[in-house]
Amino acid sequence: MPTLEQRVEDLNRKFGFRENPEDFNFELNPERIAYKNEALRKKDRNLYAGYLADNYPKQMEKELQDFDTRANKIRYISKDEAEQLFEQNKINLLKSDLHFSDADAIFQLKKVDPSDLNWHLEGHETDLLNGNSRPYEAVDGKEGIWIEG
């Protein structure tokens, strides 16, 4: 697993957010997404609060409320547990903060109309952040995944 610093450096190479900060608003900033992912998985509110204080003080209060709401819902489950959960709840789409193949990605479980599934998945293989995937893609080659819910 990459460290947070390694992940941020890798994302910067791909997106260039340090060189072109004006191209990345709060919602789309890859560095913020990486910090939030790390803080949620490790339940380290101070890590994210410090990042927000330094970079997004205006959004800090609202964003920490969101963090607090989500932090207790994040859990790591085995591949078998995930597959059972998907089947029992008829989950056919996952939304992740990082690329769906990343072992640290946090997934939100979704049910969409089967006729809309292809629309939701269009181009998903190349979505490095905030992308969608099929459940089986998310667990492929992993022992488990991080889910919210």
Side-chain angles (χ1 to χ4, degrees):
M1 294 301 115
T3 65
L4 176 59
E5 293 76 19
Q6 290 168 330
R7 183 179 310 283
V8 168
E9 286 305 316
D10 185 45
L11 288 169
N12 188 56
R13 278 192 294 281
K14 292 174 181 163
F15 290 102
F17 55 84
R18 289 195 175 129
E19 296 77 10
N20 302 295
E22 68 280 357
D23 292 344
F24 299 90
N25 67 17
F26 174 78
E27 289 298 322
L28 299 177
N29 185 299
E31 183 177 45
R32 183 196 66 78
I33 293 169
Y35 267 85
K36 189 170 187 178
N37 170 282
E38 182 89 0
L40 282 168
R41 285 184 301 100
K42 295 188 173 178
K43 301 203 184 313
D44 186 350
R45 187 180 198 269
N46 291 334
L47 173 69
Y48 194 46
Y51 174 80
L52 291 171
D54 291 344
N55 296 280
Y56 295 103
K58 291 179 183 171
Q59 288 90 347
M60 188 170 172
E61 183 179 348
K62 183 178 178 194
E63 186 62 10
L64 286 178
Q65 288 173 352
D66 178 68
F67 179 90
D68 292 341
T69 300
R70 294 181 63 199
N72 293 327
K73 298 177 185 175
I74 306 289
R75 59 192 170 111
Y76 186 82
I77 61 173
S78 73
K79 180 178 182 175
D80 290 341
E81 289 174 292
E83 289 172 341
Q84 285 179 341
L85 184 66
F86 302 152
E87 190 175 320
Q88 289 170 351
N89 294 289
K90 297 183 176 24
I91 301 298
N92 61 356
L93 185 72
L94 301 179
K95 182 170 183 65
S96 60
D97 54 351
L98 305 176
H99 190 270
F100 67 85
S101 65
D102 192 310
D104 291 336
I106 299 171
F107 294 93
Q108 295 175 351
L109 312 178
K110 306 281 184 182
K111 283 189 272 192
V112 299
D113 187 304
S115 64
D116 292 337
L117 194 56
N118 286 337
W119 178 83
H120 286 284
L121 292 167
E122 189 173 320
H124 79 283
E125 296 91 354
T126 57
D127 290 336
L128 299 177
L129 299 171
N130 298 318
N132 293 323
S133 66
R134 290 178 175 87
Y136 69 84
E137 291 174 308
V139 298
D140 187 40
K142 298 177 188 168
E143 292 181 20
I145 63 170
W146 292 94
I147 64 164
E148 180 177 342

